[in-house]
Amino acid sequence: MDFPFNRLRRWPDVEADNLQAYDATDLLLVERALSLGIDGREIAVIGDEYGAITLALTDAGLDGIRVHQDLATGRRALARNAAELDLAGFSSHELDATLLDGVRLVLLQLPKALAELEQIADAVTRWAAPDAVLVAGGRVKHMTIAQNEVLGRSFAEVQAERAVRKSRLVVASAPSPAPSDPPFPVTARHDGLVLVAHGGAFAGARLDIGTRVLLEALRQAQGPRQPQGPRQPQELRQAQGPSGGQASSAGWVAEPVEATPAETVVDLGCGTGALAASYALAHPESRVIATDRSAAAVASARATVAANGVADRVTVMHDDAGSELADASADAVLLNPPFHLGNSVHTGAATRLFEAAARILRPGGELFTVYNSSLGYRAELTRLVGATEQVHRTPKFTVTRSIRR
């Protein structure tokens, strides 16, 4: 294979010496597709992180390939790499019928989340050709039997192949009839807040712990001062039954944010939109912008704000680190940053979001950040944004407030 994989870049995603724009799984998937001799117009590529699969096949002469990438960074990297290599002849799509209609071969870089894999497998059985074959690949160290079981619910035949160069392909064929109702999105209620989630959205329809802690910190930092004393934070106490024991329907109480309202608030890396919807519910006079680089998260957040009746006051954007937001345009930013890049633990993703917050905040604006206490981001926040103080801490999480200098 003569394709120049080493010329591919991850930009605008984080770039580092130990982070590549392709891996052995990409090569295996390309080799398999070329060996099958299927027309490019009958091939769909899903999860092509930076375009390695799509561009290698296009370079080999296949035309009309359809591709779906969840991340905005991946979409921009694909476009940039295609321009750099002077390649065209493919089209980008969402995970829908336009991606899969009539497709006979689906090439998939296995996602981390089983729910995302379930939604992809269902989409293939729902919209692809009746004889479609799904060839999924991943690094062996990240693959599990559970992935085969998920595929087995949508395909009659699932066969894992021998590992090659520490990667493995799994071939799923004979699609089962798709159920009348798709498995996603899913909906859950959290004491007045409705969350809607597609398969690829972090934490699904659950209210993740970091978000709960950030909601409590916002109340403590900006809301009316509460008498101090031994008590459980309101957003973190478990619902209890009449006798004081946990009720059968107990969950974590997710009360709306009671912070002093800011005129323009940005939920940076919004996920399913829990923070954006909570803030909008509590502060109808505020303008809220929710942005995430994941298409699944954006679709989830849009559904969440609609389900909570605040779609007219919350704008949801598919964007990379708020790049489409103007400088000094926000009064406050809410941030629960990731600490993974794909399957790698890397702080670069958080750093990019800190830099983004510093850019979009007006001088004197506030950044509220929640993070795993072991990561110790306070010094970096002070350097990149401005004076930073701890406003809340639990055994696992720290919340800081940074004032834009």
Side-chain angles (χ1 to χ4, degrees):
M1 191 183 307
D2 297 328
F3 182 74
F5 287 98
N6 59 356
R7 289 182 59 187
L8 299 177
R9 286 185 56 188
R10 296 165 55 95
W11 184 93
D13 206 348
V14 176
E15 296 188 301
D17 291 340
N18 63 332
L19 298 173
Q20 290 185 312
Y22 70 97
D23 63 18
T25 306
D26 295 320
L27 275 64
L28 288 179
L29 289 168
V30 171
E31 291 168 357
R32 177 57 54 87
L34 293 177
S35 73
L36 295 175
I38 294 178
D39 189 285
R41 290 166 293 188
E42 297 178 316
I43 297 175
V45 180
I46 301 176
D48 192 0
E49 290 189 319
Y50 306 103
I53 303 168
T54 303
L55 296 179
L57 294 178
T58 301
D59 185 64
L62 295 180
D63 185 62
I65 292 172
R66 286 169 268 179
V67 56
H68 169 68
Q69 297 163 289
D70 180 62
L71 300 184
T73 44
R75 298 181 186 194
R76 294 179 184 181
L78 170 59
R80 185 262 175 204
N81 286 326
E84 176 68 20
L85 297 172
D86 195 23
L87 293 171
F90 60 89
S91 58
S92 295
H93 301 262
E94 300 302 332
L95 185 62
D96 57 21
T98 68
L99 172 74
L100 294 162
D101 184 37
V103 162
R104 295 178 54 226
L105 174 65
V106 178
L107 304 174
L108 170 66
Q109 268 274 11
L110 281 165
K112 287 172 56 178
L114 293 177
E116 184 175 3
L117 179 60
E118 182 181 0
Q119 185 166 10
I120 291 169
D122 175 81
V124 174
T125 64
R126 192 171 298 278
W127 293 310
D131 63 345
V133 174
L134 170 65
V135 181
R139 302 296 280 170
V140 171
K141 63 183 178 180
H142 300 308
M143 299 177 73
T144 67
I145 294 297
Q147 293 171 326
N148 294 13
E149 294 171 350
V150 168
L151 290 173
R153 295 200 288 267
S154 293
F155 295 87
E157 299 178 15
V158 177
Q159 181 64 51
E161 300 187 350
R162 295 181 62 181
V164 179
R165 301 191 293 274
K166 299 182 180 180
S167 290
R168 188 192 307 277
L169 297 182
V170 178
V171 180
S173 57
S176 304
S180 56
D181 296 322
F184 294 92
V186 296
T187 301
R189 295 183 178 275
H190 301 271
D191 299 284
L193 179 68
V194 180
L195 289 183
V196 184
H198 286 266
F202 172 74
R206 302 185 305 276
L207 192 65
D208 74 275
I209 300 174
T211 295
R212 299 180 197 128
V213 173
L214 183 51
L215 286 172
E216 166 64 11
L218 286 169
R219 182 188 299 276
Q220 289 186 353
Q222 290 185 306
R225 296 296 179 182
Q226 300 292 334
Q228 298 300 305
R231 63 181 180 88
Q232 289 177 294
Q234 287 180 301
E235 279 79 13
L236 299 181
R237 69 176 186 269
Q238 282 188 302
Q240 294 182 331
S243 63
Q246 185 172 323
S248 60
S249 60
W252 290 99
V253 177
E255 299 179 9
V257 179
E258 292 184 355
T260 301
E263 183 175 345
T264 301
V265 178
V266 175
D267 181 0
L268 193 59
C270 64
T272 56
L275 289 170
S278 293
Y279 200 97
L281 284 169
H283 303 296
E285 67 275 37
S286 296
R287 174 184 178 228
V288 181
I289 301 172
T291 173
D292 203 292
R293 68 175 187 156
S294 163
V298 167
S300 303
R302 285 175 177 157
T304 290
V305 299
N308 287 281
V310 293
D312 59 330
R313 294 185 276 113
V314 180
T315 301
V316 183
M317 303 171 60
H318 188 206
D319 186 23
D320 172 36
S323 65
E324 296 182 14
L325 300 178
D327 294 0
S329 60
D331 301 297
V333 171
L334 313 179
L335 176 58
N336 182 0
F339 57 92
H340 284 85
L341 285 171
N343 289 305
S344 302
V345 176
H346 199 287
T347 60
T351 298
R352 291 184 75 242
L353 293 174
F354 298 160
E355 293 170 341
R359 181 185 62 80
I360 64 178
L361 276 171
R362 62 168 175 76
E366 297 177 308
L367 166 64
F368 287 89
T369 309
V370 60
Y371 54 87
N372 192 300
S373 298
S374 64
L375 296 174
Y377 284 142
R378 185 172 175 178
E380 186 172 20
L381 285 163
T382 299
R383 177 175 62 86
L384 294 174
V385 183
T388 299
E389 63 174 340
Q390 176 181 301
V391 296
H392 191 57
R393 188 180 180 95
T394 70
K396 186 174 182 180
F397 289 96
T398 294
V399 178
T400 56
R401 173 170 55 187
S402 305
I403 307 300
R404 178 70 168 94
R405 64 173 64 88

